[in-house]
Amino acid sequence: MEYINEIEERVILVGVQVGDEDTQQSLDELEELADTAGAITAGKIIQSREAVHPGTYIGKGKIEEVRSLMLAVDATGIICDDELSPAQMNNLEHELECKVMDRTLLILDIFAKHATTSEGKIQVELAQLRYRSARLVGLRASLSRLGGGIGTRGPGEKKLETDRRLIRKRITALKEELSQVERHRELLRTGRSRGNLKTAAIVGYTNAGKSTLLNALTGSQVLSQDKLFATLDPTTRSLTLEDGQQLLLTDTVGFIRKLPHNLVEAFKSTLEEAKYADYIIHVADVSNPQVELQMHVVYDTLRELGADGKKTITVFNKQDVAGDVTVRDLRADYTVKTSAKTGEGLQELQELLGKLISEELLYVERVFPYQEAGKIQLIRENGQLLSEEYTENGIHVKARVPKEIYHKVI
Ligand SMILES: Nc1nc2c(ncn2[C@@H]2O[C@H](COP(=O)(O)OP(=O)(O)OP(=O)(O)O)[C@@H](O)[C@H]2O)c(=O)[nH]1
Ligand SMILES: [Mg+2]
């Protein structure tokens, strides 16, 4: 669904540099976010400070600088690179008399635009309402300034509440709806694990190529775009490896630095796909100069979700446009260089996946009496039948089986 902007929003991006953070790069990413949300970046201002100004995010002098730049480039609003406190938002709104937004509002807005399933929509609305309920005064002034645009969009272009009492009611209703969807998702998950199939979650920084990889491996058609957060709803597809083994691959929502807390809370069930997976396929975009930092963000987020410590294959993707870079990932069990676009390395990735599965299988060698041939079928369906030989006493089998069925076949 394409959203049509009624008004062109021209924004100034404002960042505060604390210590040796790379605020310039963070603002470049903020510009991409703004672009995805449909705003034009007309300028960028960074203030170096010991800490963010508690009352106004940036200091007095810098506010003046922002004001004159806005006039000079004809900007309609500002976007701050960190989540503003309710007071900071009010004060800035009061000082600058323009639309004041922050990184969180922008990300929420993009999520609102991209959510397609009912679960995604509920989660986004919940995160938006929680964010709003704490900032009603400043936001209401800010958002009514341009009568629409970024920050006012709800899932499915629903009009978002601005009344605190109604917001609270709506939040309660949404939470109830969400817990129903979560129960459903849990049922799906147990259904899958009953089928004994292993699951790998494809995780990574936003825009790393996760959906493209899923599509390339399984021939599916998940939307992939050169936009941030194209995927909000997890998709699971089955993949049959060359040796006939099957596993399930789940494409997941991407991570980003400073991922809004309210989003993580609301999207918990979606993000937890990684937690319930057996393996992690971590896609890193090595053509991005920020790839090392992005990989850190991914590992930190996985840890927060309780999804760390799993067998991990890191995929160094976009080799076709990577140039001559050496990236290493000491936390991964395996690494592989790929291009989801050209297909380079995908064969090797599949072999590694096969290896991960095999590593967990137990070796069985025995002669099955002919009346127990059914057990061989069980092996064929759940494990790897390495050889079978028909002898006088029965069928001589060498195989590898998952521990769940080991006791049934020996
Ligand atoms: N050159 C090149 N481009 C790639 C490769 N893999 C993905 N892309 C492009 O990178 C962009 C993002 O790809 P997606 O698959 O949507 O990335 P994603 O990780 O699913 O992103 P989100 O769902 O938005 O978090 C698209 O324009 C893809 O065509 C690759 O190996 N090489
Ligand atoms: Mg995607």
PDB file of all heavy atoms in Angstrom, residues 211 223 230-231 251, ligand 2:
ATOM      1  N   SER A 211      14.830 -10.606   3.576  1.00  0.00           N
ATOM      2  CA  SER A 211      13.711 -11.109   2.762  1.00  0.00           C
ATOM      3  C   SER A 211      14.214 -11.605   1.412  1.00  0.00           C
ATOM      4  O   SER A 211      13.729 -12.617   0.894  1.00  0.00           O
ATOM      5  CB  SER A 211      12.670 -10.012   2.556  1.00  0.00           C
ATOM      6  OG  SER A 211      12.207  -9.558   3.801  1.00  0.00           O
ATOM      7  N   LEU A 223       7.931  -9.413   0.119  1.00  0.00           N
ATOM      8  CA  LEU A 223       8.302  -8.080  -0.353  1.00  0.00           C
ATOM      9  C   LEU A 223       9.707  -7.719   0.125  1.00  0.00           C
ATOM     10  O   LEU A 223      10.015  -7.761   1.304  1.00  0.00           O
ATOM     11  CB  LEU A 223       7.301  -7.058   0.203  1.00  0.00           C
ATOM     12  CG  LEU A 223       7.606  -5.592  -0.132  1.00  0.00           C
ATOM     13  CD1 LEU A 223       7.323  -5.289  -1.588  1.00  0.00           C
ATOM     14  CD2 LEU A 223       6.818  -4.665   0.772  1.00  0.00           C
ATOM     15  N   ALA A 230      10.862  -2.869   5.592  1.00  0.00           N
ATOM     16  CA  ALA A 230       9.903  -3.349   4.599  1.00  0.00           C
ATOM     17  C   ALA A 230       9.126  -4.529   5.182  1.00  0.00           C
ATOM     18  O   ALA A 230       7.959  -4.734   4.867  1.00  0.00           O
ATOM     19  CB  ALA A 230      10.626  -3.764   3.322  1.00  0.00           C
ATOM     20  N   THR A 231       9.779  -5.319   6.019  1.00  0.00           N
ATOM     21  CA  THR A 231       9.132  -6.490   6.608  1.00  0.00           C
ATOM     22  C   THR A 231       8.749  -6.220   8.062  1.00  0.00           C
ATOM     23  O   THR A 231       9.603  -5.858   8.856  1.00  0.00           O
ATOM     24  CB  THR A 231      10.095  -7.703   6.613  1.00  0.00           C
ATOM     25  OG1 THR A 231      10.616  -7.870   5.313  1.00  0.00           O
ATOM     26  CG2 THR A 231       9.383  -8.960   7.076  1.00  0.00           C
ATOM     27  N   ASP A 251      11.506 -15.362   8.162  1.00  0.00           N
ATOM     28  CA  ASP A 251      11.998 -14.007   7.912  1.00  0.00           C
ATOM     29  C   ASP A 251      11.435 -13.109   9.019  1.00  0.00           C
ATOM     30  O   ASP A 251      10.278 -13.246   9.385  1.00  0.00           O
ATOM     31  CB  ASP A 251      11.464 -13.544   6.542  1.00  0.00           C
ATOM     32  CG  ASP A 251      11.951 -12.172   6.157  1.00  0.00           C
ATOM     33  OD1 ASP A 251      12.969 -11.720   6.692  1.00  0.00           O
ATOM     34  OD2 ASP A 251      11.303 -11.545   5.287  1.00  0.00           O
TER      35      ASP A 251
HETATM   36 MG    MG B   2      12.513  -7.745   4.917  1.00  0.00          MG
END
